[in-house]
Amino acid sequence: MPTGFIPTHGGYKNLRSYQKAEIVYDATVHFCQRFLEKRDRTYDQMVQAARSGKQNIIEGSMASGTSKEMEIKLTNVARASLEELLADYRDFLRVRAIAEWPKEHPYALRLRELNRIPGATYETFRKGVEHPDPAICANVIIGLIRVTSLLLDRQIQALEKAFVQEGGMRERMTRARLDERDRQRSRAR
């Protein structure tokens, strides 16, 4: 019996990039509700950019079974959406004359520790994300976005490498068809 040419796909919930993107989305919704006017276009843009980051990881993962090209493109769209969101948070800080934390800031170091916790959830970062000071909230979310973007960069590199090594859907279909043809010929002998 021939093996299928559509690989297992859709395991996005296990991707660290998705887990972090979900935290970024939840944190952004909470941040916008607290610190931006609902009528402000930036409110909707930030929530939509955070949502796009998360949703495109899902869509890319689900499309991966039939299109590695689409998976790579959608994962890159997720990465680009988070970069747009990062710029919005930096704008928020800049126009309010609030500093973005340097890498050696004590809170930035603590955030890096928290990001290393396996299975970290929104709850892990709640104290920073829901802090009354918008400077702390924005900087925590910036740190989360940076980690998520790094994970997505690594994911895209791994997808590129896998595509070069394994090929795409058409190649798998051709291999499956040729393997089946060879099996039928050997049975006919």
Side-chain angles (χ1 to χ4, degrees):
M1 177 138 190
T3 58
F5 52 82
I6 299 177
T8 304
H9 59 283
Y12 64 87
K13 287 183 181 178
N14 298 321
L15 294 171
R16 286 186 60 219
S17 60
Y18 172 78
Q19 294 163 2
K20 295 291 184 193
E22 186 174 63
I23 295 167
V24 167
Y25 173 76
D26 293 347
T28 297
V29 169
H30 192 267
F31 180 89
C32 290
Q33 288 171 344
R34 290 175 63 211
F35 301 114
L36 297 175
E37 290 290 324
K38 182 93 169 139
R39 299 181 315 268
D40 185 351
R41 279 190 55 186
T42 304
Y43 182 109
D44 286 335
Q45 288 174 327
M46 289 178 73
V47 170
Q48 288 306 311
R51 182 183 183 281
S52 177
K54 179 177 75 75
Q55 295 302 112
N56 277 291
I57 295 168
I58 295 170
E59 195 173 344
S61 177
M62 296 307 293
S64 68
T66 56
S67 178
K68 286 295 175 194
E69 178 185 359
M70 186 62 67
E71 181 182 21
I72 292 168
K73 284 180 179 178
L74 289 168
T75 303
N76 197 52
V77 169
R79 172 72 178 81
S81 294
L82 291 175
E83 193 66 28
E84 176 186 342
L85 182 62
L86 177 61
D88 285 332
Y89 277 105
R90 286 179 168 156
D91 289 346
F92 178 89
L93 293 177
R94 189 185 68 256
V95 300
R96 288 163 180 81
I98 301 171
E100 183 176 340
W101 294 338
K103 289 181 182 180
E104 58 281 344
H105 188 284
Y107 290 164
L109 296 173
R110 175 65 179 140
L111 185 58
R112 277 203 293 283
E113 287 175 22
L114 293 175
N115 270 305
R116 289 188 191 104
I117 295 173
T121 65
Y122 181 89
E123 206 50 48
T124 308
F125 303 96
R126 180 182 298 275
K127 186 175 177 182
V129 169
E130 296 185 5
H131 196 280
D133 183 349
I136 291 175
C137 299
N139 272 292
V140 167
I141 299 169
I142 284 171
L144 287 164
I145 294 168
R146 291 168 116 181
V147 168
T148 308
S149 293
L150 176 68
L151 291 170
L152 286 169
D153 286 341
R154 289 179 182 166
Q155 189 174 333
I156 290 166
Q157 290 170 353
L159 291 170
E160 289 173 348
K161 184 177 179 182
F163 178 79
V164 169
Q165 291 176 344
E166 301 162 18
M169 177 73 163
R170 286 194 178 119
E171 291 162 301
R172 289 193 307 272
M173 289 172 67
T174 300
R175 276 194 300 268
R177 183 67 197 124
L178 292 174
D179 289 348
E180 179 60 21
R181 191 181 307 163
D182 288 345
R183 275 192 284 282
Q184 289 174 2
R185 285 184 184 153
S186 65
R187 275 188 253 145
R189 294 183 196 159

